[in-house]
């Protein structure tokens, strides 16, 4: 990968990270104004505090990765996936990143005022089953993974892969916690929703005989 190609990839990765997390902040402020209180931005309990710490690491690494990948000659780290260099990595990286962010905005629109960052077990929100939520229970996390996968294609370094792994571990724990909470709040309705949807990927339905 030439230094010019690397510079383009670095710009795309940094811009996508900046736009995404700025969008999260804007979304949190917008929902706060609408509902008159924080959308559970502050973590509650030890588990959420650990998850927030993990995500803070992901955010910092995502923003720092373009600088860690080098500014001059291509970093030797970028040779770990040789076939993804050049225009191939750029095309698929941008495609995944754009799809992930577009999907996230779709989720925001569908969720409306029910969007929350953390879990408040004393609060009951509506169960959203429209849009992407009719297929998977945690589409926002899936779209985040798509964006980070795009980052790993654009800058395929050990750090970008590690960030992706850390994020996946965080969303697995967060999704399980959210499902426990929603099951308690919505009971049978949520049980039925679980039976017809997948956690991160659509559930395959067997054909009736």
């Amino acid at each position: 990968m030439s230094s010019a190609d690397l510079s383009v990839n670095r710009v795309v990765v940094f811009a996508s990270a900046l736009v995404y997390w700025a969008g999260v902040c804007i979304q949190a402020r917008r929902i706060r104004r609408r509902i008159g209180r924080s959308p559970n931005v502050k973590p509650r309990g030890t588990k959420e505090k650990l998850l927030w710490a993990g995500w803070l690491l992901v955010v910092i690494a995502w923003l720092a990765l373009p600088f860690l990948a080098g500014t001059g000659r291509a970093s030797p780290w970028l040779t770990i996936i040789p076939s993804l260099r050049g225009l191939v990595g750029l095309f698929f990286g941008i495609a995944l990143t754009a799809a992930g962010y577009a999907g996230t905005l779709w989720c925001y629109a569908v969720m409306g005022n029910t969007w929350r960052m953390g879990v408040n077990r004393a609060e009951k929100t509506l169960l959203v089953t429209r849009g992407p939520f009719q297929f998977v229970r945690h589409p926002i996390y899936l779209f985040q993974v798509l964006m980070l996968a795009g980052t790993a294609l654009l800058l395929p370094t050990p750090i970008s892969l590690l960030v992706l792994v850390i994020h996946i571990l965080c969303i697995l724990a967060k999704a399980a916690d959210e499902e426990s909470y929603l099951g308690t709040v919505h009971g049978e309705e949520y049980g039925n929703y679980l039976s017809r949807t997948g956690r991160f990927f659509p559930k395959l339905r067997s054909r009736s005989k």
Side-chain angles (χ1 to χ4, degrees):
M1 181 182 288
S2 68
S3 59
D5 292 336
L6 178 58
S7 296
V8 172
N9 289 22
R10 288 170 59 243
V11 168
V12 172
V13 169
F14 183 76
S16 65
L18 193 63
V19 169
Y20 184 85
W21 292 109
V24 171
C25 293
I26 292 171
Q27 172 71 356
R29 293 191 62 173
R30 179 166 54 215
I31 298 301
R32 183 186 182 94
R33 287 197 301 267
R34 289 179 178 177
I35 66 176
R37 61 183 184 281
S38 171
N40 304 334
V41 172
K42 185 177 180 180
R44 299 169 182 267
T46 302
K47 182 185 294 185
E48 276 202 349
K49 288 178 180 178
L50 290 174
L51 284 172
W52 261 234
W55 268 318
L56 179 61
L57 178 62
V58 168
V59 174
I60 293 173
W62 192 356
L63 288 167
L65 182 61
F67 304 98
L68 297 176
T71 56
R73 296 178 59 185
S75 168
W77 292 349
L78 296 171
T79 64
I80 63 173
I81 311 180
S83 63
L84 296 179
R85 300 181 201 174
L87 292 178
V88 175
L90 181 63
F91 175 79
F92 286 104
I94 290 177
L96 285 177
T97 300
Y101 192 59
T104 299
L105 295 178
W106 182 22
C107 292
Y108 288 171
V110 170
M111 294 185 78
N113 292 344
T114 65
W115 181 87
R116 299 289 186 275
M117 285 190 69
V119 171
N120 178 2
R121 296 187 180 276
E123 179 183 32
K124 180 176 181 178
T125 57
L126 295 175
L127 180 61
V128 179
T129 59
R130 298 177 294 107
F133 293 90
Q134 65 184 304
F135 306 109
V136 294
R137 299 189 293 276
H138 306 280
I140 289 180
Y141 299 152
L142 171 61
F143 292 133
Q144 288 173 347
V145 169
L146 286 182
M147 292 191 72
L148 286 172
T151 293
L153 290 178
L154 290 164
L155 296 175
T157 73
I159 293 179
S160 64
L161 297 178
L162 178 61
V163 168
L164 179 58
V165 170
I166 292 174
H167 182 70
I168 290 174
L169 293 176
C170 286
I171 65 173
L172 286 172
K174 187 68 164 62
D177 190 43
E178 290 179 357
E179 290 176 4
S180 173
Y181 156 71
L182 291 170
T184 300
V185 171
H186 294 285
E188 184 178 357
E189 181 185 7
Y190 192 70
N192 293 333
Y193 178 63
L194 283 175
S195 68
R196 64 179 186 268
T197 57
R199 175 171 282 179
F200 300 115
F201 301 98
K203 181 173 288 188
L204 296 178
R205 299 179 181 179
S206 58
R207 294 181 180 178
S208 58
K209 296 182 180 179

